[in-house]
Amino acid sequence: ARAVVVNPRLALLDEPFDGLDSAVRAHVFDYLEEIAVAGRTTFVLSCHHDEDRPAWIRQHAIIDSEERCLTLA
């Protein structure tokens, strides 16, 4: 939450949904989507689970443990 309070142009979020219960996770998803859709902030998210990738993400990359880019969409 502190990362987006100051309305940065770029926010790097490492595992932002890890350890959140489903209700809080949904709230955070909605909050970040609102900011992203408004075009105020570009988000770079790292996550280990595909379900942690919000539907509103326009581009994504899948990088393996050897730092090879497997997918860029």
Side-chain angles (χ1 to χ4, degrees), residues 22-32:
S22 60
V24 173
R25 185 176 178 270
H27 181 72
V28 172
F29 263 53
D30 292 344
Y31 180 69
L32 294 179

Side-chain angles (χ1 to χ4, degrees), residues 17-65:
F17 312 113
D18 191 40
L20 300 179
D21 66 44
S22 60
V24 173
R25 185 176 178 270
H27 181 72
V28 172
F29 263 53
D30 292 344
Y31 180 69
L32 294 179
E33 178 180 20
E34 181 182 313
I35 294 169
V37 169
R40 296 190 310 248
T41 301
T42 298
F43 292 100
V44 176
L45 306 174
S46 69
C47 54
H48 291 97
H49 307 286
D50 195 45
E51 64 269 10
D52 284 343
R53 184 173 50 90
W56 49 265
I57 295 291
R58 291 183 295 191
Q59 295 180 323
H60 71 272
I62 297 175
I63 301 171
D64 70 8
S65 62

